[in-house]
């Protein structure tokens, strides 16, 4: 029997979530369903697979354990080792199949670590031009590379975004390019430089669905999933690079 509302000609998106879903994870599901996608939540555990999926979202959640990028914890934080393992397995399979991937907050950080990058475990003392406080409203200024996939989606050189994270990308992973930064030059978004559709954003677009630019991010991602399902080759990536001090090495 078909799932209620299931469109056999649509696409199925897997969303990696913790064992207990939050409102953010439910909003991601809503954002994808509004674009005509079927959603399959993937909780941590053995046997999780991308089989039957047309796209993968790595959603937000607890901190990525520093052992993943060769460090010991230096801050008190919550970790989910089971989810780290599951996300690693999902990304390995997604990469091998060239499955479209969207990383959100923790998800973007995990993609960066998966590609060999590292994280800053606590950005609070490093902020100079921005105050570090949680922002659900789009009050954080983000500068976007217009000549990029994300730039075309958002259609603006400067946007407002929220900020809920306390970690940030430090060393950029391989085959990634920075396409958005905040006023302290912390990475706010990246995309892959290879054939796979891959975008990571540090903010939470699921909380900003009332804004057309953030809705378009989900729409274009679902379009990429449809193209994957149809066997279409992704467009050639743009090879330009935004360099900044946070992406050049492990020193802040």
């Amino acid at each position: 029997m078909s799932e209620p509302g299931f469109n056999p000609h649509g696409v199925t998106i897997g969303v990696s979530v913790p064992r207990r879903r939050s409102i953010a994870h439910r909003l991601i599901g809503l954002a994808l369903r509004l674009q005509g996608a079927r959603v399959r939540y993937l909780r941590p555990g053995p046997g999780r697979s991308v089989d039957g999926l047309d796209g993968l979202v790595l959603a937000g959640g607890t901190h990525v354990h520093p052992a993943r990028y060769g460090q010991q914890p230096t801050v008190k934080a919550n970790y989910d080792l089971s989810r780290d393992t599951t996300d690693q397995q999902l990304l390995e399979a997604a990469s091998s199949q060239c499955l479209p991937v969207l990383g959100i907050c923790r998800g973007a950080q995990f993609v960066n670590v998966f590609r060999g990058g590292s994280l800053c475990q606590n950005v609070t003392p490093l902020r100079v031009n921005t105050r570090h406080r949680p922002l659900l409203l789009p009050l954080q200024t983000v500068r976007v590379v217009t000549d990029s996939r994300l730039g075309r989606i958002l259609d603006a050189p400067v946007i407002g975004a929220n900020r809920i994270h306390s970690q940030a990308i430090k060393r950029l992973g391989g085959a990634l390019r920075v396409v958005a930064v905040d006023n302290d030059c912390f990475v706010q978004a990246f995309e892959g430089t290879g054939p796979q559709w891959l975008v990571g954003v540090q903010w939470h677009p699921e909380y900003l669905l009332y804004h057309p630019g953030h809705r378009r991010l989900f729409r274009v991602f679902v379009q990429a999933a449809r193209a994957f399902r149809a066997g279409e080759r992704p467009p050639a990536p743009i090879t330009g690079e935004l360099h900044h001090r946070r992406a050049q090495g492990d020193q802040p």
Side-chain angles (χ1 to χ4, degrees):
M1 180 179 295
S2 297
E3 179 178 325
F6 171 54
N7 178 1
H9 303 293
V11 296
T12 301
I13 305 296
V15 182
S16 171
V17 296
R19 295 190 185 280
R20 297 185 65 179
R21 284 180 288 168
S22 71
I23 183 63
H25 306 126
R26 297 178 188 277
L27 286 172
I28 291 173
L30 172 64
L32 295 169
R33 290 187 182 99
L34 287 174
Q35 303 304 326
R38 181 190 184 198
V39 176
R40 181 190 302 168
Y41 290 108
L42 303 169
R43 293 180 173 85
R48 300 297 181 261
S49 168
V50 301
D51 292 349
L53 299 181
D54 305 300
L56 174 67
V57 177
L58 297 186
T62 58
H63 289 191
V64 178
H65 197 282
R68 289 273 168 184
Y69 46 96
Q71 296 183 16
Q72 293 296 320
T74 59
V75 298
K76 186 177 181 180
N78 294 322
Y79 300 108
D80 187 341
L81 300 182
S82 178
R83 190 176 178 201
D84 287 352
T85 299
T86 297
D87 282 354
Q88 176 78 18
Q89 294 168 347
L90 291 172
L91 274 179
E92 288 173 353
S95 297
S96 68
Q97 298 180 29
C98 215
L99 192 74
V101 171
L102 172 62
I104 296 175
C105 197
R106 170 208 147 88
Q109 294 169 0
F110 198 92
V111 170
N112 183 67
V113 170
F114 174 77
R115 290 293 185 95
S118 67
L119 304 178
C120 172
Q121 296 186 44
N122 182 14
V123 301
T124 303
L126 301 179
R127 290 198 175 276
V128 177
N129 300 307
T130 57
R131 293 178 58 191
H132 188 76
R133 64 184 189 277
L135 298 170
L136 275 179
L137 295 175
L139 300 178
Q140 174 181 228
T141 298
V142 172
R143 293 179 285 125
V144 182
V145 176
T146 55
D147 189 16
S148 68
R149 175 179 287 126
L150 185 66
R152 292 191 294 271
I153 292 171
L154 298 175
D155 194 28
V158 179
I159 65 165
N162 50 31
R163 181 174 64 230
I164 308 175
H165 61 281
S166 60
Q167 292 191 310
I169 289 172
K170 197 172 189 179
R171 184 182 68 246
L172 191 66
L176 300 175
R177 63 178 296 232
V178 179
V179 292
V181 297
D182 63 19
N183 285 338
D184 279 317
C185 287
F186 285 106
V187 177
Q188 287 296 313
F190 61 75
E191 57 191 42
T193 60
Q196 180 186 22
W197 195 102
L198 174 64
V199 172
V201 295
Q202 185 60 75
W203 66 88
H204 285 260
E206 69 271 22
Y207 283 119
L208 304 173
L209 296 180
Y210 52 86
H211 189 285
H214 298 288
R215 287 199 306 274
R216 277 197 301 273
L217 177 58
F218 290 102
R219 184 174 76 228
V220 174
F221 170 65
V222 171
Q223 289 172 349
R226 289 196 180 99
F228 174 85
R229 182 184 178 95
E232 299 175 12
R233 183 179 176 82
I238 299 170
T239 57
E241 184 82 29
L242 172 64
H243 294 282
H244 64 90
R245 59 191 176 97
R246 301 296 183 197
Q248 295 309 301
D250 276 344
Q251 297 300 317

